Coordinates of all heavy atoms in Angstrom, one line a residue:
A1 N 18.5 2.8 8.1 CA 18.4 1.8 7.0 C 19.3 0.7 7.3 O 19.0 -0.5 7.1 CB 18.7 2.5 5.7
L2 N 20.6 1.0 7.7 CA 21.5 -0.1 7.9 C 21.1 -0.9 9.2 O 21.3 -2.2 9.2 CB 22.9 0.5 8.1 CG 23.6 1.1 6.9 CD1 24.8 1.8 7.2 CD2 23.9 0.0 5.8
G3 N 20.6 -0.3 10.2 CA 20.3 -0.9 11.4 C 19.1 -1.9 11.3 O 18.9 -2.8 12.1
T4 N 18.2 -1.6 10.3 CA 17.0 -2.5 10.1 C 17.2 -3.4 8.8 O 16.3 -4.2 8.5 CB 15.8 -1.7 9.9 OG1 16.0 -0.7 8.8 CG2 15.4 -0.9 11.2
H5 N 18.4 -3.3 8.2 CA 18.7 -4.1 7.0 C 18.6 -5.6 7.3 O 18.1 -6.3 6.5 CB 20.0 -3.7 6.4 CG 20.2 -4.2 5.0 ND1 20.1 -3.4 3.9 CD2 20.6 -5.4 4.6 CE1 20.3 -4.1 2.8 NE2 20.7 -5.3 3.2
R6 N 19.0 -6.0 8.5 CA 19.0 -7.4 8.8 C 17.6 -8.0 8.9 O 17.5 -9.2 8.9 CB 19.7 -7.6 10.2 CG 18.9 -7.1 11.4 CD 19.6 -7.2 12.7 NE 20.6 -6.1 12.8 CZ 21.3 -5.9 13.9 NH1 21.2 -6.7 14.9 NH2 22.2 -5.0 14.0
N7 N 16.6 -7.1 9.0 CA 15.2 -7.6 9.1 C 14.6 -7.9 7.7 O 13.5 -8.5 7.7 CB 14.4 -6.6 9.8 CG 14.8 -6.3 11.2 OD1 15.6 -5.4 11.5 ND2 14.3 -7.1 12.2
I8 N 15.3 -7.6 6.7 CA 14.7 -7.7 5.3 C 14.2 -9.2 5.1 O 13.1 -9.3 4.5 CB 15.7 -7.3 4.2 CG1 15.9 -5.8 4.3 CG2 15.3 -7.7 2.8 CD1 17.0 -5.2 3.4
P9 N 15.0 -10.2 5.4 CA 14.5 -11.6 5.1 C 13.1 -11.9 5.8 O 12.4 -12.8 5.3 CB 15.6 -12.5 5.7 CG 16.8 -11.6 5.6 CD 16.4 -10.2 5.9
Q10 N 12.8 -11.2 6.9 CA 11.5 -11.5 7.6 C 10.4 -10.5 7.2 O 9.3 -10.7 7.6 CB 11.7 -11.3 9.1 CG 12.5 -12.5 9.8 CD 14.0 -12.3 9.5 OE1 14.5 -11.3 9.7 NE2 14.6 -13.4 9.1
L11 N 10.7 -9.6 6.3 CA 9.7 -8.6 5.9 C 8.9 -9.2 4.7 O 9.3 -10.1 4.0 CB 10.3 -7.3 5.5 CG 11.2 -6.6 6.5 CD1 11.8 -5.3 6.0 CD2 10.4 -6.4 7.8
R12 N 7.7 -8.6 4.5 CA 6.9 -9.1 3.4 C 7.5 -8.7 2.0 O 8.2 -7.7 1.9 CB 5.5 -8.4 3.4 CG 4.7 -8.8 4.7 CD 4.3 -10.2 4.7 NE 3.4 -10.5 5.8 CZ 2.1 -10.8 5.7 NH1 1.6 -10.7 4.5 NH2 1.4 -11.0 6.7
E13 N 7.2 -9.5 1.0 CA 7.7 -9.3 -0.3 C 6.5 -8.8 -1.1 O 5.3 -9.3 -0.9 CB 8.2 -10.5 -1.0 CG 8.9 -10.3 -2.3 CD 9.5 -11.6 -2.9 OE1 8.7 -12.6 -3.0 OE2 10.7 -11.6 -3.1
A14 N 6.7 -7.9 -2.0 CA 5.6 -7.4 -2.9 C 5.1 -8.5 -3.8 O 5.8 -9.3 -4.2 CB 6.1 -6.2 -3.7
P15 N 3.8 -8.5 -4.0 CA 3.2 -9.5 -4.9 C 3.7 -9.4 -6.3 O 4.0 -8.2 -6.7 CB 1.7 -9.3 -4.7 CG 1.6 -7.9 -4.4 CD 2.7 -7.6 -3.5
V16 N 3.7 -10.5 -7.0 CA 4.0 -10.4 -8.5 C 2.8 -9.9 -9.2 O 1.7 -10.5 -9.1 CB 4.4 -11.8 -9.0 CG1 4.7 -11.7 -10.5 CG2 5.6 -12.3 -8.3
N17 N 3.0 -8.8 -9.9 CA 1.8 -8.1 -10.5 C 1.9 -8.4 -12.0 O 2.8 -8.0 -12.7 CB 1.8 -6.6 -10.3 CG 0.5 -6.0 -10.6 OD1 -0.3 -6.5 -11.3 ND2 0.3 -4.8 -10.1
T18 N 0.9 -9.1 -12.5 CA 0.8 -9.5 -13.9 C -0.1 -8.6 -14.7 O -0.1 -8.6 -15.9 CB 0.3 -10.9 -14.1 OG1 -1.0 -11.1 -13.5 CG2 1.3 -11.9 -13.4
E19 N -0.8 -7.7 -14.0 CA -1.7 -6.7 -14.7 C -0.9 -5.5 -15.2 O 0.1 -5.1 -14.7 CB -2.8 -6.2 -13.8 CG -3.7 -7.3 -13.2 CD -4.8 -6.8 -12.4 OE1 -5.3 -5.7 -12.7 OE2 -5.1 -7.4 -11.3
R20 N -1.4 -5.0 -16.4 CA -0.7 -3.8 -16.9 C -1.0 -2.6 -16.0 O -2.1 -2.4 -15.5 CB -1.3 -3.5 -18.3 CG -0.8 -2.2 -19.0 CD -1.4 -2.0 -20.3 NE -0.9 -3.0 -21.3 CZ -1.3 -2.9 -22.6 NH1 -2.1 -2.0 -23.0 NH2 -0.9 -3.9 -23.4
F21 N 0.1 -1.8 -15.8 CA 0.0 -0.6 -15.0 C -0.9 0.4 -15.6 O -0.8 0.6 -16.9 CB 1.4 0.0 -14.7 CG 1.3 1.3 -14.0 CD1 1.1 1.3 -12.6 CD2 1.4 2.5 -14.7 CE1 1.1 2.5 -11.9 CE2 1.3 3.7 -14.0 CZ 1.1 3.7 -12.6
S22 N -1.7 1.0 -14.8 CA -2.5 2.2 -15.3 C -2.8 3.1 -14.1 O -2.9 2.6 -13.0 CB -3.8 1.7 -16.0 OG -4.7 1.2 -15.0
L23 N -3.0 4.4 -14.4 CA -3.3 5.3 -13.3 C -4.7 5.0 -12.7 O -4.9 5.1 -11.5 CB -3.4 6.7 -13.9 CG -2.0 7.3 -14.2 CD1 -2.2 8.7 -14.8 CD2 -1.1 7.4 -13.0
R24 N -5.6 4.4 -13.5 CA -6.9 4.1 -13.0 C -6.8 3.0 -12.0 O -7.4 3.0 -11.0 CB -7.8 3.6 -14.2 CG -9.2 3.2 -13.8 CD -10.1 2.9 -15.0 NE -11.4 2.5 -14.5 CZ -12.4 2.1 -15.4 NH1 -12.2 2.1 -16.7 NH2 -13.6 1.8 -14.9
K25 N -6.0 2.0 -12.3 CA -5.8 0.9 -11.4 C -5.1 1.4 -10.1 O -5.5 1.0 -9.0 CB -4.9 -0.2 -12.0 CG -4.5 -1.4 -11.1 CD -3.7 -2.4 -11.9 CE -3.3 -3.5 -11.0 NZ -2.3 -3.1 -9.9
L26 N -4.1 2.2 -10.3 CA -3.3 2.7 -9.1 C -4.2 3.5 -8.2 O -4.3 3.2 -7.0 CB -2.2 3.7 -9.6 CG -1.2 4.2 -8.6 CD1 0.1 4.5 -9.3 CD2 -1.8 5.6 -8.0
F27 N -5.0 4.5 -8.7 CA -5.8 5.3 -7.8 C -7.0 4.5 -7.3 O -7.5 4.7 -6.2 CB -6.3 6.5 -8.6 CG -5.2 7.6 -8.7 CD1 -4.6 7.8 -9.9 CD2 -4.8 8.3 -7.6 CE1 -3.6 8.7 -10.0 CE2 -3.8 9.2 -7.7 CZ -3.2 9.5 -8.9
G28 N -7.5 3.5 -8.1 CA -8.6 2.6 -7.7 C -8.2 1.8 -6.4 O -8.9 1.7 -5.5
E29 N -7.0 1.3 -6.5 CA -6.5 0.5 -5.3 C -6.2 1.4 -4.1 O -6.5 1.0 -3.0 CB -5.2 -0.3 -5.7 CG -5.4 -1.4 -6.7 CD -4.2 -2.2 -6.9 OE1 -3.1 -1.9 -6.2 OE2 -4.2 -3.2 -7.7
M30 N -5.7 2.6 -4.3 CA -5.4 3.5 -3.2 C -6.8 3.9 -2.6 O -6.9 4.0 -1.4 CB -4.6 4.7 -3.7 CG -3.2 4.4 -3.9 SD -2.1 5.9 -4.0 CE -2.9 6.8 -5.4
F31 N -7.8 4.2 -3.4 CA -9.1 4.6 -2.9 C -9.7 3.5 -2.1 O -10.3 3.7 -1.0 CB -10.0 5.0 -4.0 CG -11.3 5.5 -3.6 CD1 -11.5 6.7 -3.0 CD2 -12.4 4.6 -3.6 CE1 -12.8 7.1 -2.6 CE2 -13.7 5.0 -3.2 CZ -13.9 6.3 -2.7
E32 N -9.6 2.3 -2.6 CA -10.1 1.1 -1.9 C -9.5 0.9 -0.5 O -10.1 0.6 0.5 CB -10.0 -0.2 -2.7 CG -10.6 -1.4 -2.1 CD -10.4 -2.7 -2.9 OE1 -9.5 -2.7 -3.8 OE2 -11.1 -3.6 -2.7
T33 N -8.1 1.1 -0.5 CA -7.4 0.9 0.7 C -7.8 2.0 1.7 O -8.0 1.7 2.9 CB -5.9 1.0 0.4 OG1 -5.5 -0.1 -0.4 CG2 -5.1 0.9 1.7
L34 N -7.8 3.2 1.3 CA -8.1 4.3 2.2 C -9.5 4.5 2.6 O -9.9 5.4 3.4 CB -7.5 5.6 1.6 CG -6.0 5.6 1.4 CD1 -5.5 6.9 0.8 CD2 -5.2 5.3 2.7
S35 N -10.4 3.7 2.0 CA -11.9 3.8 2.3 C -12.2 3.2 3.6 O -13.4 3.2 4.1 CB -12.7 3.2 1.2 OG -12.5 1.8 1.1
E36 N -11.2 2.6 4.3 CA -11.4 2.0 5.6 C -11.9 3.1 6.6 O -11.3 4.1 6.7 CB -10.1 1.4 6.1 CG -10.1 0.8 7.5 CD -10.4 -0.7 7.4 OE1 -10.2 -1.3 6.4 OE2 -10.7 -1.2 8.5
K37 N -13.1 2.8 7.2 CA -13.7 3.8 8.1 C -12.8 4.2 9.2 O -12.7 5.4 9.6 CB -15.0 3.3 8.6 CG -16.1 3.2 7.5 CD -17.4 2.7 8.1 CE -18.5 2.7 7.0 NZ -19.8 2.2 7.6
S38 N -12.1 3.3 9.9 CA -11.3 3.6 11.0 C -10.1 4.4 10.5 O -9.6 5.3 11.2 CB -10.8 2.3 11.7 OG -11.8 1.8 12.4
F39 N -9.6 4.2 9.3 CA -8.5 5.0 8.7 C -9.0 6.4 8.6 O -8.3 7.4 8.9 CB -8.0 4.5 7.4 CG -7.1 5.5 6.7 CD1 -5.8 5.7 7.1 CD2 -7.6 6.3 5.7 CE1 -5.0 6.7 6.5 CE2 -6.8 7.2 5.1 CZ -5.5 7.4 5.5
F40 N -10.2 6.6 8.1 CA -10.7 8.0 7.8 C -10.7 8.7 9.2 O -10.4 9.9 9.2 CB -12.1 8.0 7.2 CG -12.6 9.3 6.9 CD1 -12.1 10.1 5.8 CD2 -13.6 9.9 7.6 CE1 -12.5 11.3 5.5 CE2 -14.1 11.2 7.3 CZ -13.6 11.9 6.3
A41 N -11.1 8.0 10.2 CA -11.2 8.7 11.6 C -9.8 9.1 12.0 O -9.6 10.2 12.5 CB -11.7 7.7 12.6
L42 N -8.7 8.2 11.7 CA -7.4 8.6 12.1 C -6.8 9.7 11.2 O -6.1 10.6 11.7 CB -6.5 7.4 12.0 CG -6.6 6.3 13.0 CD1 -5.6 5.2 12.9 CD2 -6.6 6.9 14.4
F43 N -7.2 9.7 9.9 CA -6.7 10.7 9.0 C -7.2 12.1 9.4 O -6.4 13.0 9.5 CB -7.2 10.4 7.6 CG -6.8 11.4 6.6 CD1 -5.5 11.4 6.0 CD2 -7.6 12.4 6.2 CE1 -5.1 12.4 5.1 CE2 -7.3 13.4 5.2 CZ -6.0 13.3 4.7
V44 N -8.5 12.2 9.7 CA -9.1 13.4 10.2 C -8.4 13.9 11.5 O -8.1 15.1 11.7 CB -10.6 13.3 10.3 CG1 -11.2 14.6 10.9 CG2 -11.2 13.1 8.9
A45 N -8.3 12.9 12.4 CA -7.7 13.3 13.7 C -6.3 13.8 13.5 O -5.9 14.8 14.2 CB -7.7 12.0 14.6
T46 N -5.5 13.1 12.7 CA -4.1 13.5 12.5 C -4.0 14.8 11.8 O -3.1 15.6 12.1 CB -3.3 12.4 11.7 OG1 -3.5 11.1 12.3 CG2 -1.9 12.7 11.6

């Protein structure tokens, strides 16, 4: 953590989220992300 701390200024920042949090939104976004076909191939392989 300390050794990579210097990289923080070059890392991505999380987007500002103005929508209300909900479990439906959370799992909807995760499902959309993980529906990538190449990811499914890697997931099964791993």
Side-chain angles (χ1 to χ4, degrees):
L2 292 170
T4 56
H5 194 98
R6 73 184 74 177
N7 297 91
I8 291 176
Q10 285 78 48
L11 303 180
R12 297 295 187 105
E13 187 177 57
V16 178
N17 195 342
T18 58
E19 298 181 40
R20 175 181 292 183
F21 173 82
S22 69
L23 288 177
R24 181 178 180 181
K25 175 178 178 294
L26 184 153
F27 285 105
E29 288 187 3
M30 286 197 300
F31 180 80
E32 184 183 19
T33 296
L34 299 179
S35 63
E36 180 93 17
K37 291 183 179 179
S38 287
F39 167 76
F40 184 72
L42 288 186
F43 178 81
V44 173
T46 308

